[in-house]
């Protein structure tokens, strides 16, 4: 990091960039499209060698989205959604990346993306009222606005495994998977981590490998994806009413059409509850199960009914009772750590050569030259797959560590936990916006819906500022303080803080434990943003300097 608050010494960019976007995934690409529509000059810096963000990096076997394809797609262009066809209920990584590439070509976005370009430092230049941004390659850019479209799960956390450098086999991180095919045929593979990435990868790796040893620190709730090809006619039926479906998604709590049931899990008979859960288990996916009753994320007893149901399904799926018991999540309420959806994860433990190592019973000692060691013994492995997760929500922002007004660094400003007004802007960091930042529904929602909302709102604010002749837009510290307190109040009324989750920053040693996403719902949050806009952007200061 440069010590100077102005890492780029060049004057405002010669070609007069209005907006510098960091990231060219779903968010960055849509930003380019919207900004161009406003007649603004924008450029996106992308660290990867290609566009796509999450879906560029996460090429691990079995990588698939947990939101249905018909909903996990842009809604901003009715022609786009009519012309694109999905093949499966849940889109796999390759298909999502194809879709993103199609969108980039269709709207001619690539000419404003610089790939292989990592933003490494950014500083607000109050004299010229521009952000100056440096890249790893030594380039410097200046632009009036800086929009961080850096993703919520894009910076892997340090795995925290001793002796990794001593391991003599191949090491892969799920979020940095090679582009060429990785052949596990006949190999002994160790997988560390049983979040969504590990749970999706294990069944696919086990099809080829001679042995798979799964190291689990925390047993996780996972529901069957019930993925399948989209039936003939099914997609056309959605397309005929796509506008309506998109509108419903925007006004729903999670950005997925449909609403939560309006009664408590405790107000129905056990028989009825079980039938409801079974229906969700077989057809509903992750969000169907969470929406079965209105109190699963707020009432521990209600939550326990769903947790019991899932544990019973795990016990049915796994032949060995000791393995089944070790796989049964008991350390946190259902839904308080991001639940997974899987394709045959639990049944994979019935295969010859697949075993579970419960790190609660035998703690991880670290990697050894020929495998992975626990306090009890060493497990031989040729390959090591790290599915150990991310420095979520803040990692990509604090990695750049923007320097705001008066030399204030984002890491300093967030030393006690991230504080952002509406999850969109940070007091002290003028003209900087965050897409799906901490304090917005983000990771608790269908990300594409939340991304579109933020992009439209941010670009609307920039357009409004320009119309008013304002060159500087900044979140008001008091409005930000109230919003942050509101997010914590809403979170405090839920079961979420009971889990040591990445939502809480608990997976990264030393990270402040603060519940980061806004759990009030996409629908409620949309109302708030609309009110702020209608008020002329109350809570933001728009000024000439
Ligand atoms: O990461 P995670 P992920 N020793 O943090 C364990 C999204 N996503 O990449 O729980 C031993 O969830 C860690 O253990 P513990 C989705 O939002 C979506 O799987 O901390 N174990 C945990 O088991 C998801 O939630 C999709 O005790 C260690 C695992 O590694 C998010 O990305 C697919 C360890 C990390 O799980 C992140 O998922 C994939 C250590 N030193 C991802 N360090 C879909 O759309 C960590 N662990 C389906």
């Amino acid at each position: 990091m440069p010590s100077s608050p102005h890492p780029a010494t060049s004057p405002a960019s010669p070609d007069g960039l209005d907006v510098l976007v960091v990231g060219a995934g779903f968010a960055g690409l849509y930003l380019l499209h919207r900004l161009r529509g406003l007649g603004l000059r924008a450029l996106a810096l992308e660290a990867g060698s290609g566009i796509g963000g999450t879906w560029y990096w996460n090429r691990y076997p079995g990588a698939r989205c947990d939101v249905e394809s018909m909903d996990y797609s842009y809604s901003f262009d009715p022609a786009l959604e009519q012309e694109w066809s999905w093949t499966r209920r849940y889109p796999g990584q390759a298909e999502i990346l194809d879709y993103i590439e199609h969108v980039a070509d269709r709207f001619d976005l690539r000419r404003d993306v610089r790939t292989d370009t990592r933003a490494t430092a950014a500083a607000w230049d109050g004299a010229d009222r521009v952000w100056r941004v440096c890249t790893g390659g030594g380039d410097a850019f200046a632009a009036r606005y800086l929009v961080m479209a850096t993703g919520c799960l894009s910076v892997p956390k340090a795995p925290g495994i001793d002796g990794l450098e001593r391991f003599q086999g191949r090491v892969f991180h799920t979020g940095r998977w090679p582009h060429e095919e990785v052949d596990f045929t006949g190999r002994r593979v160790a997988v560390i981590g049983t979040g969504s990435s590990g749970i999706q990868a294990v069944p696919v790796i086990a099809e080829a490998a001679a042995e798979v040893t799964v190291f689990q620190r925390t047993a996780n709730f996972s529901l069957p994806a019930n993925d399948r090809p989209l039936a003939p006619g099914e997609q056309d039926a959605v397309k005929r009413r796509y506008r309506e479906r998109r509108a419903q998604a925007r006004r729903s709590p999670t950005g997925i059409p449909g609403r939560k049931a309006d009664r408590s899990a405790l107000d129905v008979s056990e028989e009825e509850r079980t039938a409801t859960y079974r229906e969700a288990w077989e057809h509903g996916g992750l969000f169907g199960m969470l929406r079965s009753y209105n109190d699963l994320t707020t009432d521990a007893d209600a939550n326990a009914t769903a947790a019991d149901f899932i544990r019973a399904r795990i016990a049915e799926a796994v032949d060995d009772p000791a393995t089944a018991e070790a796989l049964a999540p008991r350390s946190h309420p259902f839904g308080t750590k991001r639940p997974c959806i899987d394709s045959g994860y639990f049944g994979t433990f019935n295969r010859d050569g697949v075993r579970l190592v419960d790190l609660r019973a035998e703690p991880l000692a670290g990697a050894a030259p020929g495998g992975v060691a626990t306090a009890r013994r060493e497990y031989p492995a040729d390959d090591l797959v790290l599915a150990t997760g991310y420095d979520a929500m803040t990692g990509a922002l604090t990695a750049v560590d923007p320097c705001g007004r008066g030399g204030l660094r984002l890491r300093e400003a967030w030393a006690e936990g991230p504080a952002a007004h509406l999850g969109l802007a940070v007091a002290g960091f003028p003209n900087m916006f965050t897409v799906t930042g901490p304090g917005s529904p983000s990771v608790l929602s269908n990300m594409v819906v939340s991304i579109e909302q933020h992009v439209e709102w941010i670009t609307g604010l920039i357009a409004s500022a320009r119309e008013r002749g304002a060159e500087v837009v900044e979140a008001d510290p008091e409005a930000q303080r109230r919003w942050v307190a509101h997010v914590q109040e809403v979170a405090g009324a839920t079961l979420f803080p009971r889990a040591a989750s990445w939502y809480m920053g608990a997976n990264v040693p030393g990270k402040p434990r603060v519940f980061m996403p806004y759990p009030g719902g996409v629908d409620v949050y949309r109302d708030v943003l609309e009110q702020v806009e209608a008020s002329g952007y109350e809570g933001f200061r728009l000024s000439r300097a």
Side-chain angles (χ1 to χ4, degrees), residues 119-162:
T120 51
W124 172 246
D125 176 341
D128 287 344
R129 295 174 298 288
V130 291
W131 276 95
R132 299 193 182 279
V133 174
C134 281
T135 71
D139 289 330
F141 296 90
R144 177 76 69 218
Y145 292 95
L146 175 66
V147 186
M148 302 298 282
T150 39
C152 293
L153 294 153
S154 48
V155 173
K157 76 164 185 99
I161 296 161
D162 285 344

Side-chain angles (χ1 to χ4, degrees), residues 305-362:
T305 64
D308 286 344
F309 177 88
I310 297 169
R311 286 190 286 262
R313 302 290 78 71
I314 296 171
E316 280 169 5
V318 181
D319 294 343
D320 173 48
T323 305
E325 182 48 33
L327 285 165
R330 296 190 188 279
S331 66
H332 58 282
F334 166 58
T336 55
K337 286 183 106 165
R338 173 75 169 210
C340 314
I341 63 167
D342 69 88
S343 296
Y345 175 67
F346 294 113
T348 299
F349 290 93
N350 301 331
R351 291 179 79 122
D352 287 343
V354 178
R355 72 182 146 205
L356 182 75
V357 176
D358 178 359
L359 298 177
R360 304 254 162 158
E362 45 179 311

Side-chain angles (χ1 to χ4, degrees), residues 157-243:
K157 76 164 185 99
I161 296 161
D162 285 344
L164 261 186
E165 67 293 345
R166 289 205 309 269
F167 181 68
Q168 286 176 355
R170 301 181 297 180
V171 180
F172 305 99
H173 189 286
T174 50
R176 292 289 179 271
W177 204 261
H179 284 221
E180 58 281 5
E181 199 177 333
V182 177
D183 186 5
F184 288 111
T185 307
R187 314 271 297 175
R188 296 168 305 174
V189 185
V191 180
I192 301 181
T194 53
S196 297
S197 304
I199 281 179
Q200 287 188 330
V202 163
V204 185
I205 294 173
E207 280 170 19
E211 279 179 23
V212 179
T213 309
V214 180
F215 293 84
Q216 171 193 277
R217 190 164 64 185
T218 306
N220 230 324
F221 290 98
S222 186
L223 312 172
N226 298 312
D227 180 40
R228 53 173 170 73
L230 284 168
E234 193 177 358
Q235 194 154 185
D236 294 340
V238 170
K239 285 184 178 177
R240 278 196 290 277
R241 308 184 65 171
Y242 226 152
R243 294 287 86 197

